[in-house]
Amino acid sequence: MKPVKVGICGLGTVGGGTFNVLKRNAEEIARRAGRGIEVAQIAARRPNPKCETGATPITADIFDVANNPEIEVVIELIGGYTLAHELVLKAIENGKHVVTANKALIAVHGNEIFAKAREKGVIVAFEAAVAGGIPVIKAIREGLAGNRINWLAGIINGTGNFILTEMREKGRAFADVLKEAQALGYAEADPTFDVEGIDAAHKLTILASIAFGIPLQFDKAYTEGISQLTSADVNYAEALGYRIKHLGVARRTEVGIELRVHPTLIPADRLIANVNGVMNAVMVNGDAAGSTLFYGAGAGMEPTASSVVADLVDVVRAMTADPTNRVPHLAFQPDSLSDHPILPIGECESAYYLRIQAKDHPGVLAQVASILSERGINIESIMQKEAEEHDGLVPVILVTHRVVEARIDDAIAALEGLADVVGKVVRIRVEQLV
Ligand code: HSE
């Protein structure tokens, strides 16, 4: 059989890695796919020194690839929302299958893209969009297809995890570690996407859709970054037996779906609490399988290429199949997506770590305890440290049982209103992940 001709748009970190893996593993890939895969054209504005493209034709215009009649699969690796969106729609309009690593594009425009793809009978594959080299989309969409999924929680931004790990282990400054992550090629073009949780929210939006069979709803995801975390809280969390991780959490409840990215205390002995550096991990809890954990490199040249090429193999195998017999884009049949709502953060439920800076007076702890008990908030543990030398204030740290967020907001407002409490109460969510 003749090889399938594909075009790569973007020859940066992931594009270069994809070209190299396709070339190096060509024979094994053909044995798996049933046909060879030939890169017939590349669109790139500049060469990639880590990638020897030889005689492969190169154009500067990505639309040359989308309009090339020989090409059956367009691999979109340029990133961003605008041009990538136009490119993918053009490729679909021209009847080409698409493989993309673009989480922002899928999270924001995926519903439209999949509808267009269905009209044209083509596949849009996006394994590389979430957690780089970890085949977590396939695991949830296919491997766990027998389960009713209850929740998932993931460390899905390598840059953020690298920063938190270096801060905790080496006491390094936030900005210094971020610079290193940028130099290593992990960070987004706009690194606020990494540290403010936007990149993780893109990925979480995708994971939640395929886990629960809901449309993509990035605009309803709650996002809180790690830039405000202090080493004091990292250390107090440690003393209480927890680690702070930047987690994406999606949970199905009776009343709706929680979709939230925020710093989170996790018991230090959980496997996921020990995922360090740029590594990613996603826990998925299903009613039949129980908790599963998927771990690996969340970014980088060849790990991400591994997922792009796996998608290509899937596309090549499925391209001759009747479109109605293919694995649906969002795991569930498109006419069976659920309208279970995404809950606003005030209606989400979690346990909480609170740090209060109090004046060293008798009765302060009693006032704190009564504010919480009046609101039905149960305290799991409490720790009071000696007064700080520089201001004489006493840090009071406590962890609550699970409670709806609006109730904690109300308690925090009351705590901040106490004459003996100084400044803002620090609040970090806590998840047990069992
Ligand atoms: N900036 C992302 C990260 C790259 O740090 O995880 C992979 O999506």
Side-chain angles (χ1 to χ4, degrees):
M1 231 175 164
K2 279 211 243 156
V4 175
K5 295 197 174 180
V6 305
I8 298 179
C9 295
L11 199 64
T13 305
V14 184
T18 299
F19 186 90
N20 290 347
V21 171
L22 279 173
K23 192 160 126 187
R24 188 174 71 236
N25 296 341
E27 195 207 321
E28 297 257 322
I29 290 166
R31 282 171 58 210
R32 289 192 170 101
R35 292 170 73 178
I37 297 177
E38 179 191 328
V39 179
Q41 193 174 28
I42 295 169
R45 277 180 302 198
R46 61 190 77 85
N48 181 337
K50 293 190 178 145
C51 183
E52 184 41 69
T53 53
T56 310
I58 300 197
T59 168
D61 184 355
I62 49 172
F63 290 96
D64 287 346
V65 177
N67 291 322
N68 183 336
E70 285 203 309
I71 285 175
E72 290 183 82
V73 188
V74 171
I75 308 171
E76 183 280 302
L77 301 173
I78 60 172
Y81 303 92
T82 317
L83 208 52
H85 187 199
E86 280 175 44
L87 171 71
V88 166
L89 291 182
K90 175 54 79 182
I92 293 171
E93 190 187 308
N94 290 344
K96 299 183 193 310
H97 303 284
V98 173
V99 173
T100 177
N102 192 331
K103 56 255 161 160
L105 178 72
I106 296 297
V108 175
H109 297 294
N111 298 323
E112 176 205 7
I113 289 170
F114 299 145
K116 292 256 157 49
R118 277 197 306 281
E119 268 169 44
K120 285 287 182 177
V122 296
I123 303 165
V124 176
F126 51 94
E127 179 67 67
V130 179
I134 311 174
V136 67
I137 301 273
K138 196 168 188 83
I140 298 174
R141 194 159 55 180
E142 298 175 49
L144 294 171
N147 287 256
R148 178 178 165 86
I149 292 175
N150 299 313
W151 56 264
L152 60 88
I155 295 170
I156 41 181
N157 182 269
T159 302
N161 201 39
F162 181 57
I163 292 173
L164 288 182
T165 305
E166 292 288 302
M167 282 173 77
R168 188 181 67 82
E169 288 181 354
K170 302 182 188 150
R172 288 178 66 190
F174 182 90
D176 171 42
V177 193
L178 176 58
K179 260 195 214 134
E180 191 181 338
Q182 286 174 298
L184 291 168
Y186 297 125
E188 294 301 298
D190 176 352
T192 59
F193 272 43
D194 295 300
V195 296
E196 297 306 339
I198 300 158
D199 176 75
H202 285 143
K203 296 166 182 167
L204 183 70
T205 299
I206 297 171
L207 291 176
S209 284
I210 60 167
F212 306 126
I214 53 171
L216 295 149
Q217 295 162 79
F218 170 70
D219 54 335
K220 301 211 177 111
Y222 172 79
T223 306
E224 192 179 304
I226 54 171
S227 53
Q228 305 302 315
L229 275 183
T230 65
S231 52
D233 293 309
V234 171
N235 295 336
Y236 291 139
E238 208 64 28
L240 288 163
Y242 291 92
R243 291 266 163 86
I244 301 181
K245 290 290 177 189
H246 201 195
L247 223 58
V249 178
R251 188 189 308 271
R252 190 205 308 252
T253 76
E254 286 298 309
V255 286
I257 287 167
E258 300 183 356
L259 194 60
R260 47 193 172 92
V261 174
H262 47 70
T264 314
L265 270 75
I266 313 172
D269 59 2
R270 298 278 181 276
L271 279 176
I272 195 168
N274 295 283
V275 170
N276 291 320
V278 291
M279 301 309 275
N280 280 197
V282 182
M283 274 185 91
V284 185
N285 180 278
D287 65 345
S291 285
T292 53
L293 177 67
F294 304 91
Y295 168 86
M301 195 168 189
E302 292 215 353
T304 313
S306 163
S307 289
V308 170
V309 174
D311 271 350
L312 264 178
V313 171
D314 270 355
V315 169
V316 171
R317 285 174 181 152
M319 59 204 298
T320 51
D322 174 352
T324 56
N325 291 335
R326 293 178 186 150
V327 179
H329 293 113
L330 289 179
F332 291 69
Q333 297 299 335
D335 55 1
S336 298
L337 292 186
S338 143
D339 58 3
H340 210 39
I342 306 291
L343 295 172
I345 190 68
E347 291 174 33
C348 295
E349 195 187 279
S350 168
Y352 294 86
Y353 160 103
L354 302 180
R355 175 162 61 84
I356 301 157
Q357 293 288 98
K359 291 181 191 160
D360 199 3
H361 292 164
V364 178
L365 268 188
Q367 286 177 308
V368 168
S370 90
I371 283 178
L372 295 174
S373 79
E374 279 160 14
R375 288 161 182 81
I377 301 169
N378 207 350
I379 299 173
E380 185 197 90
S381 58
I382 188 158
M383 175 168 81
Q384 183 182 325
K385 307 301 279 187
E386 57 281 6
E388 308 264 5
E389 265 179 34
H390 65 284
D391 56 11
L393 294 175
V394 179
V396 177
I397 297 107
L398 54 89
V399 176
T400 73
H401 282 270
R402 292 181 72 78
V403 57
V404 166
E405 178 125 346
R407 220 174 314 156
I408 271 288
D409 289 342
D410 184 45
I412 289 175
L415 290 169
E416 287 174 351
L418 288 175
D420 284 332
V421 167
V422 177
K424 291 271 173 208
V425 172
V426 172
R427 165 248 307 271
I428 308 176
R429 296 166 189 85
V430 181
E431 292 291 343
Q432 296 298 325
L433 303 181
V434 280

